[in-house]
Amino acid sequence: MKELTFTIRDQDGIHARPAGILVKTMQGFASAVTIKNGEKTADGKKLFQVMKLGAKCNDTITVTTDGDDEDAALAGAKSVLEENL
């Protein structure tokens, strides 16, 4: 299990476009992906769950990957988050 903590920098928080990019990227990995914002948790491969996290600018989210390609999945998540949020 690998974990990444990331602070949202986008003024709009996690909105449809970056959430879609993140989910599509995560769907390419076999590992389970979980995203947490405060007490809310989402499957990182399901768009509506990621959107329902309600992550706003300056919120800190935690991405956890678990599985055979967890390192690659976490690197993919980090790349998407840094480029889009």
Side-chain angles (χ1 to χ4, degrees):
M1 183 181 304
K2 301 290 181 177
E3 190 172 279
L4 165 73
T5 302
F6 183 82
T7 301
I8 305 296
R9 299 180 309 248
D10 188 300
Q11 294 286 345
D12 298 322
I14 295 183
H15 52 93
R17 186 186 59 79
I21 294 168
L22 179 61
V23 167
K24 186 172 183 172
T25 301
M26 295 300 92
Q27 288 174 342
F29 296 100
S31 294
V33 180
T34 304
I35 304 171
K36 187 172 182 181
N37 180 30
E39 296 299 316
K40 296 180 182 177
T41 303
D43 180 336
K45 297 181 180 185
K46 298 188 187 268
L47 180 60
F48 289 113
Q49 287 187 25
V50 173
M51 294 289 296
K52 287 177 85 174
L53 288 174
K56 306 287 185 214
C57 187
N58 295 318
D59 283 357
T60 299
I61 62 171
T62 302
V63 179
T64 306
T65 57
D66 188 19
D68 293 337
D69 57 357
E70 62 190 23
D71 291 322
L74 197 65
K78 182 178 180 182
S79 176
V80 169
L81 291 170
E82 288 177 346
E83 291 175 17
N84 296 285
L85 290 170

